[in-house]
Amino acid sequence: MNRRHIIAATAAAVMAGVVPAAAQTYPTRPITMIIPFAAGGPTDVVARIVAEAMSKNLGQSVVIENVAGAGGTTGATRLTQQQPDGYSIMIGHTGTHAASVALYPNLRYNPVTDFAQIGLVNTNAILITAKKALPPNNLSEFVAWLKANERTANNAHAGIGSVSHTTCLLLHAIIGVKPQSVPYRGTGPAMNDLVAGQVDYLCDQVVNVAPQVRAGTIKAFAVAQAARNAALPDVPTTAEAGLPAYQVVVWNAMLAPKGTPEPIVTRLNQALVAALNDDGVKARLAELGADLPTGNLATPAGLRAFLEAEIAKWTPVIKAAGVTASN
Ligand code: MLT
């Protein structure tokens, strides 16, 4: 949704007087926002920017709680166990609310029906990054290096089913390699170890990558989307770098537990949309390379349909990769 669409949606709601009665007193106390990964990673960074703006709109603090583990599914499970009263929400993503279905045979939640959808928060390009001391200097050299060092190369990621895991799985499937896997509780800590040179490479979201590439602490070989990312204009696309088949974009979505009253979901959506329209939020997300939702994705109904489509898209991809996790 571009700026004009977001503003139009908000204005229409206000003009129609559709702020429901039950939402008029909500919220009366702080709201907890579960982040299913470690602090300092891409989900956490985006969440804190948006939560700060939502706090101002709602007149109550939105407090971040990092609940990491099992590729983000621990935090998502935690949300389903909270009261559906609007005081517990979360940021889920492509991993927790799409890839998890195929990866976790014992997943304790249905990513669509066990949640009340609030709206899509942002989309994020994926970049192939490596520690500075890794010999390759471009994507072709990296692919050759990975094939030659398959047994010893180690791939950092944020746990089975996280986007850093599934997006590198896709890369491995295209190249035809199965390197060592090094799981973390988020790509915040994984990135720290990449910068320190303790792991070889990481497929990560632009939000986490852009500051490190600008600081010259890691290498970025390519961005896996059709156009270059405005936050890292010098990094080639995968097509430009010789691997056009590798295209993947991931997303963050705001969710509440199933059964959260509709007026409260509406109020939270209004606060989210207002946050995404805030000039300061837009500038900070743009600097990190994140994109705002398009079309109707920032609406509860739009997000629900999108989640169903994403599960349908990712399930065969994960099955083809032959990877599962048990929890
Ligand atoms: C994080 O915030 O650490 C990431 O979103 C994890 C991931 O899914 O790669």
Side-chain angles (χ1 to χ4, degrees):
M1 182 177 282
N2 63 32
R3 179 182 165 75
R4 220 170 353 159
H5 288 139
I6 294 170
I7 291 170
T10 309
V14 172
M15 280 161 54
V18 293
V19 178
Q24 286 171 7
T25 53
Y26 167 86
T28 57
R29 58 186 169 86
I31 296 164
T32 298
M33 182 186 279
I34 293 176
I35 303 305
F37 294 99
T43 311
D44 182 77
V45 165
V46 169
R48 284 175 198 273
I49 292 170
V50 172
E52 191 186 331
M54 285 180 71
S55 296
K56 286 182 195 144
N57 183 281
L58 291 163
Q60 289 288 342
S61 302
V62 177
V63 181
I64 303 291
E65 187 184 356
N66 297 90
V67 182
T73 61
T74 302
T77 302
R78 174 81 65 86
L79 185 75
T80 63
Q81 295 161 347
Q82 306 307 305
Q83 287 298 321
D85 56 8
Y87 292 97
S88 298
I89 58 177
M90 78 173 292
I91 303 286
H93 74 357
T94 315
T96 58
H97 282 74
S100 57
V101 173
L103 277 165
Y104 286 88
N106 302 318
L107 193 65
R108 286 181 221 125
Y109 57 86
N110 180 307
V112 178
T113 57
D114 284 335
F115 296 84
Q117 289 75 29
I118 298 169
L120 200 76
V121 178
N122 70 295
T123 59
N124 249 328
I126 288 289
L127 283 99
I128 305 167
T129 69
K131 67 180 179 187
K132 223 177 154 187
L134 208 74
N137 284 314
N138 56 47
L139 187 58
S140 305
E141 289 177 13
F142 174 68
V143 170
W145 175 87
L146 198 48
K147 284 180 175 166
N149 295 278
E150 182 178 351
R151 283 166 181 243
T152 52
N154 56 59
N155 167 219
H157 60 75
I160 304 294
S162 63
V163 301
S164 44
H165 176 244
T166 49
T167 57
C168 249
L169 269 186
L170 271 182
L171 177 69
H172 298 157
I174 291 168
I175 300 175
V177 293
K178 288 197 174 164
Q180 303 294 319
S181 160
V182 186
Y184 288 79
R185 292 170 74 77
T187 56
M191 180 60 81
N192 290 343
D193 275 6
L194 190 74
V195 170
Q198 286 166 11
V199 287
D200 292 329
Y201 67 101
L202 169 68
C203 300
D204 202 7
Q205 299 162 63
V206 64
V207 168
N208 207 30
V209 172
Q212 297 299 343
V213 172
R214 282 193 210 117
T217 56
I218 59 169
K219 293 179 176 179
F221 296 131
V223 58
Q225 62 179 14
R228 290 191 181 202
N229 190 280
L232 292 172
D234 295 335
V235 178
T237 65
T238 44
E240 289 171 329
L243 203 61
Y246 187 57
Q247 300 272 338
V248 58
V249 174
V250 299
W251 41 266
N252 285 314
M254 192 172 293
L255 305 143
K258 166 180 84 173
T260 303
E262 205 177 317
I264 289 177
V265 172
T266 300
R267 182 70 188 92
L268 286 164
N269 176 263
Q270 288 169 345
L272 169 63
V273 169
L276 297 178
N277 267 317
D278 180 272
D279 285 342
V281 170
K282 287 159 76 98
R284 288 166 77 189
L285 292 180
E287 190 189 352
L288 292 169
D291 293 313
L292 293 181
T294 56
N296 70 346
L297 294 178
T299 67
L303 175 57
R304 192 177 177 101
F306 178 71
L307 292 181
E308 283 165 351
E310 284 287 293
I311 291 166
K313 182 176 107 184
W314 278 94
T315 298
V317 171
I318 303 289
K319 289 200 167 145
V323 184
T324 56
S326 54
N327 64 344

